[in-house]
Amino acid sequence: MGGVRWAFPCAAWRPRREEWLLAARLVQPEEKERIGSFVYARDAKAALAGRLLMRKLIAEKLCIPWNEIHLQRTSKGKPFLANSIFSVYSNYNFNVSHQGDYAVLAAEPELQVGIDVMKTDLPGSSSIPNFFRIMKRQFTETEWHVIRSMNNEWMQLDMFHRHWALKESFLKAIGVGIGFNLQRIEFNVSPLQMEIGKVYSETQMLLDGEKEEEWTFETDLNPRHVILMSLRNEVIISLIVPLVGSEKNKFSSIICSLFYRQES
């Protein structure tokens, strides 16, 4: 069983009311409650898509029926499969992220994995220089030098989000919370310029000043989004392909066919 990389354009997903209610019934009560706590409907939809991606993964790859899947979270909030599974799958690791227009998932049978997606928009009404001042403590001087070396402010913002997603994906892979000092991690991002749709794995990480050889970072760039994956030990490079055009609603049909199959 190889690695899995999925991206779902949740912003383009327009479920009918009956589809939404059906989808909500197929997640655990605590998941449904968590999804219902989001203020904005787009965030609730993205969170639901992320939970459905995990369940689709487990049903297809581990052959566990949807109505028997039991997900829990670690004390730091990382989802994991609580079912007893065969020892051959005991190290199966998966992670999801949703932000902007996408919900994304990465999974590996033997590797630690974390994933993060960032839409390269400016948060709130702040200017880019002011936003950088607020976030100054999140990156090392070397990282800020790289971010500010870009040709214009919006390219700098793109590089900022790339560094931020790298750090987030690493923290999600190791399963720690927000108390981790981000200055302990420093990324040597490579290449500085990327082509949309191409996956790169040249970026390296320093932890407490020491180069980490066991970790590899996959970077995929889609229009206005950057997707980062942190992988420990061996690496299987895969490309996340966003659904486009007439395929945008395909995921809804796939989910609903699985739902109805389970219900029957």
Side-chain angles (χ1 to χ4, degrees), residues 3-255:
V4 174
R5 310 287 186 269
W6 288 341
F8 170 58
C10 51
W13 183 32
R14 299 289 188 268
R16 298 187 300 274
R17 183 175 183 273
E18 60 269 26
E19 290 177 329
W20 179 266
L21 294 175
L22 181 58
R25 288 203 303 269
L26 284 203
V27 298
Q28 294 161 208
E30 63 272 21
E31 296 175 314
K32 185 177 179 179
E33 182 178 349
R34 186 183 183 97
I35 291 165
S37 68
F38 284 97
V39 175
Y40 296 106
R42 64 176 182 270
D43 296 327
K45 184 173 64 169
L48 179 58
R51 305 307 283 188
L52 296 175
L53 280 173
M54 286 190 284
R55 290 179 172 273
K56 175 176 166 62
L57 170 83
I58 294 165
E60 289 188 1
K61 301 300 180 181
L62 302 183
C63 300
I64 298 176
W66 277 57
N67 59 342
E68 296 179 16
I69 296 171
H70 184 53
L71 295 168
Q72 292 183 356
R73 290 178 180 267
T74 67
S75 60
K76 301 298 184 181
K78 185 175 183 179
F80 68 93
L81 179 64
N83 298 66
S84 297
I85 56 177
F86 297 117
S87 59
V88 68
Y89 300 138
S90 60
N91 293 323
Y92 201 74
N93 201 293
F94 57 88
N95 197 227
V96 297
S97 177
H98 52 84
Q99 205 268 340
D101 299 339
Y102 289 94
V104 296
L105 174 145
E108 288 289 342
E110 296 292 338
L111 314 180
Q112 283 181 270
V113 61
I115 189 168
D116 194 57
V117 57
M118 291 294 300
K119 187 173 184 178
T120 56
D121 281 343
L122 181 64
S125 59
S126 176
S127 67
I128 291 176
N130 188 54
F131 176 60
F132 284 175
R133 281 194 294 272
I134 294 170
M135 302 298 291
K136 179 174 172 54
R137 296 178 61 185
Q138 309 306 321
F139 300 112
T140 68
E141 289 299 323
T142 299
E143 290 171 326
W144 276 120
H145 175 75
V146 173
I147 292 169
R148 291 194 168 102
S149 71
M150 298 294 100
N151 291 337
N152 57 59
E153 286 188 348
W154 286 102
M155 291 178 68
Q156 292 173 18
L157 189 63
D158 286 343
M159 186 58 71
F160 170 91
H161 283 106
R162 189 172 166 190
H163 278 81
W164 183 260
L166 278 164
K167 297 203 177 193
E168 284 286 321
S169 67
F170 173 71
L171 296 184
K172 292 176 74 176
I174 62 177
V176 301
I178 59 176
F180 193 93
N181 180 6
L182 294 180
Q183 293 258 352
R184 293 180 57 194
I185 319 165
E186 182 174 288
F187 285 95
N188 296 325
V189 171
S190 179
L192 296 181
Q193 303 293 334
M194 301 189 301
E195 297 178 26
I196 290 177
K198 185 175 180 181
V199 177
Y200 300 89
S201 59
E202 291 89 345
T203 292
Q204 296 179 337
M205 182 184 74
L206 302 179
L207 178 60
D208 297 327
E210 299 291 330
K211 183 178 177 181
E212 288 289 313
E213 301 286 356
E214 293 184 337
W215 287 89
T216 300
F217 302 90
E218 295 181 11
T219 307
D220 185 19
L221 182 68
N222 284 296
R224 299 185 68 192
H225 292 75
V226 61
I227 303 168
L228 272 300
M229 283 158 285
S230 297
L231 299 167
R232 191 171 190 176
N233 294 324
E234 295 180 295
V235 174
I236 302 172
I237 300 294
S238 300
L239 176 64
I240 295 180
V241 181
L243 303 182
V244 295
S246 62
E247 294 188 324
K248 285 185 177 180
N249 292 319
K250 183 184 293 184
F251 188 85
S252 180
S253 299
I254 293 171
I255 288 175

